[in-house]
């Protein structure tokens, strides 16, 4: 029995490695199979989530950068239980439409991010965040709104039209822009 459980764990681990290295559509299909609700036109570069994928809802046109973690339970309740096996504490994570979540963010239980939001890289997010927010920090808070952020992006001196290019097409343009030989 022990060998069979280890073999199943190994197969599961190898499959998760395959999913992480696969394309976007394969990852989304896997996450949906785990119970996660994911809208249309999403990009999920890499995602770690707790066992409760069914507690995660992701809207339409959402981009999640690599290294992001969705945690749907709070293990610290263990410290307060007389019997450690007595209770667990869970919370949903809901992401609205048209949201970008930067690299290496952590979203904690009972978090809701509204529509049209940006979450800065490395943010630790817990709570309810309204539509049109730019969210960042540890702990994350609303730093500005999307109108201000759009203005900042529009005025940025390093904004280049390279989004649809391959790496080899993009490289000489970026190097030239920054004066790199």
């Amino acid at each position: 029995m022990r060998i069979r459980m280890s073999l199943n764990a190994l197969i599961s681990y190898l499959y998760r490695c395959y999913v992480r290295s696969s394309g976007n559509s394969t990852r989304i299909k896997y996450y949906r199979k785990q119970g996660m609700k994911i809208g249309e036109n999403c990009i999920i570069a890499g995602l770690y989530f707790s066992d409760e994928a069914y507690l995660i809802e992701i809207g339409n046109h959402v981009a999640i950068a690599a290294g992001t973690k969705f945690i749907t339970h709070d293990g610290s309740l263990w410290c307060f239980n007389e019997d450690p096996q007595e209770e667990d504490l869970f919370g949903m994570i809901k992401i609205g439409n048209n949201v970008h979540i930067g690299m290496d963010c952590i979203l904690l239980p009972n978090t809701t991010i509204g529509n049209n939001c940006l979450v800065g890289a490395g943010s630790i997010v817990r709570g309810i965040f309204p539509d049109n927010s730019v969210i960042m920090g540890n702990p994350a808070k609303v730093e500005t709104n999307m109108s201000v952020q759009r203005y900042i992006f529009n005025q940025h001196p390093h904004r280049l039209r390279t989004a649809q290019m391959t790496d080899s097409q993009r490289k000489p343009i970026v190097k030239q822009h920054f004066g790199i030989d």
Side-chain angles (χ1 to χ4, degrees), residues 30-85:
Y30 171 77
Y31 298 142
R32 285 179 175 151
K33 188 175 179 181
Q34 300 305 309
M36 196 178 297
K37 293 178 184 168
I38 303 173
E40 298 302 316
N41 197 24
C42 292
I43 299 171
I44 302 178
L47 176 64
Y48 167 85
F49 56 90
S50 307
D51 292 332
E52 305 83 27
Y54 49 85
L55 293 177
I56 301 170
E57 294 181 12
I58 299 171
N60 297 317
H61 196 254
V62 173
I64 301 173
T68 298
K69 297 174 178 72
F70 283 44
I71 302 171
T72 54
H73 64 269
D74 187 342
S76 64
L77 182 64
W78 179 84
C79 295
F80 302 102
N81 286 338
E82 295 293 323
D83 177 1
Q85 297 179 12

Side-chain angles (χ1 to χ4, degrees), residues 5 7 13 24 31 39 45 63 73 75 89-90 117 120-121 128 174 177:
M5 288 175 43
L7 183 58
Y13 171 77
N24 188 58
Y31 298 142
H73 64 269
L89 186 62
F90 299 93
C117 291
I128 299 172
V174 174
H177 176 79

Side-chain angles (χ1 to χ4, degrees), residues 100 113-119 128-136 141-146 149:
H100 175 83
I113 297 173
N115 297 318
N116 305 311
C117 291
L118 297 177
V119 179
I128 299 172
F129 295 88
D131 293 351
N132 301 304
S133 296
V134 176
I135 304 158
M136 58 183 68
K141 62 183 182 176
V142 176
E143 292 292 333
T144 190
N145 64 50
M146 289 293 279
Q149 190 64 45

Side-chain angles (χ1 to χ4, degrees), residues 166-179:
T166 65
D167 288 341
S168 60
Q169 292 170 323
R170 182 182 308 123
K171 184 176 179 178
I173 294 168
V174 174
K175 287 178 77 172
Q176 180 184 2
H177 176 79
F178 284 97

